[in-house]
Every structure is written in structure tokens, then in C-alpha cells.
Amino acid sequence: MRSTRIPKGYTPVTYEQLAYMTGLSVDEMKRCAADMQVAGVLRLISDGRNLYYKLNLGEAVHNG
């Protein structure tokens, strides 16, 4: 089994947990997460089984 090295600052999460935190449905959260990644607000890493996230609010301001 190959291990993925997750960069410092990323937190393990599921789409269900993200949906709960935002008050959205899981399907809505998946769509919003994709939009947020394009905007630079959210970074998601998947190693095939697990999902990790990091918010980039400062970087998003510079990109906006």
C-alpha cells in the first residue's frame, strides 16, 4: 500500500462533514467545493480513500 504525504496544515474531512459545517446538502457541498477551489478559497487533496482540506482565505483575497 502506497502512502500519500499530506502537506502541513491540511485537515482530514468528509464531504458529509463539510456539508454539516456549511448547512448545505452533500451534493451542494460538492458543487460549492469545486467552485471554492477554482476561486482559491479551498484546497482539497484526496489520496483515493481520504479527503483533506485547507482554507486559503488570504490567498483568495489576492486572487479576487
Side-chain angles (χ1 to χ4, degrees):
M1 180 185 308
R2 200 172 88 197
S3 175
T4 301
R5 186 173 179 96
I6 302 303
K8 188 175 182 178
Y10 283 77
T11 303
V13 72
T14 65
Y15 279 113
E16 290 80 8
Q17 291 169 323
L18 288 172
Y20 177 79
M21 287 188 270
T22 59
L24 299 172
S25 72
V26 173
D27 287 337
E28 289 174 310
M29 186 63 237
K30 287 180 180 180
R31 285 191 300 273
C32 288
D35 291 342
M36 292 169 69
Q37 287 183 87
V38 170
V41 176
L42 177 70
R43 289 192 180 177
L44 289 175
I45 296 174
S46 175
D47 67 2
R49 294 178 304 157
N50 302 304
L51 187 65
Y52 303 87
Y53 83 101
K54 179 179 180 181
L55 294 176
N56 292 304
L57 300 178
E59 185 176 315
V61 170
H62 294 292
N63 291 337

